[in-house]
């Protein structure tokens, strides 16, 4: 009896797996045919659409099927990335808004996540600002996922939409530092200034990202960054020192001495890096002392900073020969023997 049950179960599982495999093969063949038809449609429409966008021809023939419409939209998206110039970009945007605005609006209201995300990508690439209200409606809806929220806020930033400032201060879903960095990276200076003025209202991940963006953009925000150096939070101070080093913002030797003597190696490391960017001779004794730091990374950064300062290599030679601390001697010798490479 047990053997019969086992055999029946084996046949049942085999039949189920065979049916699933057959179903997947049919789906794959259908998708392959669909993709082939899509490629063929794009090739047929490519030249007429290009000539139209360049102003050489009248409007291309309107597609007769949903597949041809999809092909036309994908072509339009491709040309938006390839063709430069305000006139042709305006032509692309006008064409998209005239013929695809309603279709994309319906996609934004779809129950399917994939359709909504695809619509957002098309709207972003084609710069369809006419759909901003619909995008904001999706953002406020219950169905908006974390991925959609990040994409929507990125679009708002790219389109210079002022409401994005309020949304990044109190986002619908918790955002990662990376997400904030992407959003801030697309913001205009006008929007960034608004966010900066409300810095303390940002979640920690947003605060870290904003400080980093200031350094990445090489924006001269010395006073703002110096204010962050007074923060009680270590990560804020470290990010501010790093940003100041990126933009080459000078810092008084007395204040640098305070950060160079921090109990946290990350803060000492970034202070040493900033000291190397400042290149002031009065920083020599401060960096010389850091050659004996208990952290290898700080010792290495202090040696690199010394090499950038006037008479810094003289100080390194002295440390290599006379320093009481063995780690200081080793680091100075290592740098002098090729650490600058």
């Amino acid at each position: 009896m047990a053997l019969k049950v086992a055999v029946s179960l084996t046949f049942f599982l085999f039949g189920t797996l065979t049916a699933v495999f057959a179903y997947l093969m049919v789906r794959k063949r259908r998708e392959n045919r669909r993709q082939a038809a899509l490629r063929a449609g794009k090739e047929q429409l490519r030249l007429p659409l290009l000539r139209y966008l360049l102003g050489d021809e009248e409007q291309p023939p309107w597609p007769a099927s949903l597949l041809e419409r999809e092909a036309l939209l994908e072509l339009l998206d491709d040309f938006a990335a390839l063709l430069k110039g305000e006139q042709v970009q305006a032509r692309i945007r006008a064409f998209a808004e005239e013929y695809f605005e309603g279709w994309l609006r319906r996609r934004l209201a779809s129950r399917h996540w994939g359709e909504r995300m695809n619509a957002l990508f098309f709207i972003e690439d084609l710069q369809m600002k006419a759909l901003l209200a619909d995008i904001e409606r999706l953002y406020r809806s219950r169905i908006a996922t974390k991925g959609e929220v990040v994409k929507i806020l990125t679009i708002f930033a790219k389109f210079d939409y002022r409401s994005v400032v309020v949304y990044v201060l109190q986002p619908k879903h918790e955002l990662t530092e990376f997400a904030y960095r992407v959003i801030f990276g697309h913001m205009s200076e006008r929007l960034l200034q608004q966010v900066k003025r409300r810095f303390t209202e940002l979640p920690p991940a947003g605060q870290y990202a904003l400080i980093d963006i200031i350094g990445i953009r090489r924006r001269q925000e010395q006073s703002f960054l110096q204010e962050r150096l007074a923060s009680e939070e270590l990560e804020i101070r470290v990010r501010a020192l790093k940003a100041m080093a990126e933009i080459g913002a000078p810092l008084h030797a007395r204040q640098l001495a305070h950060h160079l003597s921090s109990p946290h190696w990350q803060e000492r490391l970034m202070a040493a890096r900033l000291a190397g960017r400042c290149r002031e001779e009065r920083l020599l004794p401060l960096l010389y002392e850091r050659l004996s730091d208990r952290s290898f990374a700080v010792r290495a950064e202090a040696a690199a900073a010394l090499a950038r300062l006037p008479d810094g290599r003289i100080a390194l030679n002295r440390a290599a020969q006379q320093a009481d601390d063995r780690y200081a001697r080793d680091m100075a010798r290592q740098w002098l023997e090729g650490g600058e490479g």
Side-chain angles (χ1 to χ4, degrees):
M1 183 67 180
L3 180 61
K4 289 183 178 180
V5 171
V7 171
S8 299
L9 183 60
T10 300
F11 276 108
F12 174 76
L13 290 175
F14 179 77
T16 301
L17 291 175
T18 301
V20 170
F21 178 75
Y23 170 74
L24 292 175
M25 289 299 295
V26 170
R27 282 196 61 179
K28 183 176 177 61
R29 283 197 293 269
R30 286 179 178 175
E31 182 59 24
N32 287 342
R33 288 197 297 269
R34 180 182 175 279
Q35 289 298 324
L38 190 62
R39 287 193 296 270
K42 289 175 70 172
E43 288 305 314
Q44 184 178 0
L45 292 167
R46 187 181 304 276
L47 190 56
L49 179 61
L50 178 60
R51 287 175 174 170
Y52 166 74
L53 295 176
L54 295 177
D56 295 336
E57 277 192 7
E58 295 297 325
Q59 181 176 313
W62 183 245
S65 67
L66 289 176
L67 190 66
E68 288 183 359
R69 175 181 292 191
E70 186 177 347
L72 185 61
L73 184 58
E74 288 190 10
L75 272 178
L76 205 62
D77 191 48
D78 293 341
F79 286 140
L82 293 173
L83 302 177
K84 306 302 178 184
E86 292 183 9
Q87 187 173 0
V88 69
Q89 286 292 327
R91 202 173 179 87
I92 290 173
R93 184 166 57 252
F95 185 87
E97 289 178 352
E98 182 175 358
Y99 294 103
F100 292 103
E101 183 177 320
W103 185 74
L104 289 172
R105 180 176 286 115
R106 290 190 294 274
R107 288 297 180 97
L108 287 176
S110 171
R111 295 181 179 180
H112 301 290
W113 176 85
E115 291 186 356
R116 298 195 305 270
M117 282 298 292
N118 283 337
L120 288 172
F121 275 105
F122 280 126
I123 292 167
E124 178 184 20
D125 293 344
L126 300 173
Q127 303 178 49
M128 298 176 67
K129 295 184 179 182
L131 289 169
L132 272 172
D134 299 274
I135 299 174
E136 190 164 18
R137 192 175 299 113
L138 172 59
Y139 178 88
R140 293 178 176 178
S141 71
R142 294 181 179 180
I143 63 173
T145 63
K146 186 173 182 178
E148 288 171 290
V149 164
V150 174
K151 174 54 65 177
I152 288 171
L153 294 181
T154 302
I155 292 173
F156 285 168
K158 282 187 173 183
F159 289 2
D160 203 28
Y161 190 47
R162 61 183 181 180
S163 295
V164 70
V165 175
V166 176
Y167 292 141
V168 296
L169 294 173
Q170 296 181 331
K172 186 182 183 72
H173 295 291
E174 183 179 357
L175 303 180
T176 64
E177 185 180 330
F178 177 77
Y180 271 112
R181 194 176 299 181
V182 171
I183 295 165
F184 291 154
H186 289 294
M187 279 190 179
S188 64
E189 290 299 311
R190 179 182 67 86
L191 288 178
L192 271 182
Q193 287 295 329
Q194 293 181 31
V195 175
K196 190 192 75 173
R197 286 194 289 270
R198 302 177 67 176
F199 177 82
T200 57
E201 299 178 46
L202 283 168
Q207 293 182 350
Y208 304 154
L210 180 61
I211 294 173
D212 286 350
I213 284 296
I214 289 174
I216 292 170
R217 286 194 177 185
R218 303 295 198 275
R219 299 173 69 249
Q220 296 302 317
E221 293 283 358
Q222 186 174 342
S223 60
F224 171 77
L225 294 173
Q226 286 194 8
E227 290 174 6
R228 307 284 80 77
L229 294 180
S231 172
E232 295 182 359
E233 187 178 345
L234 170 65
E235 190 65 23
I236 293 291
R237 299 196 303 272
V238 170
R239 300 290 179 116
L241 287 168
K242 181 182 178 182
M244 293 182 74
E246 292 289 340
I247 65 178
L251 192 63
H252 195 277
R254 186 184 306 168
Q255 192 169 2
L256 265 175
H258 171 73
H259 296 291
L260 283 167
S261 60
S262 166
H264 307 284
W265 70 268
Q266 301 96 326
E267 189 169 1
R268 299 195 303 274
L269 174 68
M270 289 305 161
R273 184 172 299 177
L274 176 56
R277 300 293 191 276
C278 293
R279 301 187 179 185
E280 294 186 22
E281 190 173 357
R282 59 184 176 173
L283 299 174
L284 277 173
L286 300 176
L287 291 169
Y288 190 92
E289 184 180 350
R290 285 303 102 205
L291 289 176
S292 303
D293 197 279
R294 59 184 177 273
S295 166
F296 175 84
V298 176
R299 296 197 300 272
E301 195 65 52
L306 277 171
R308 298 189 188 101
L309 267 59
D311 297 329
R313 296 188 70 83
I314 296 175
L316 285 172
N317 272 301
R318 185 171 73 253
Q321 298 173 16
Q322 304 175 9
D324 296 331
D325 184 80
R326 176 172 62 86
Y327 294 116
R329 294 195 302 271
D330 290 345
M331 180 54 66
R333 289 167 182 164
Q334 179 180 338
W335 187 263
L336 291 169
E337 290 171 1
E340 68 271 33

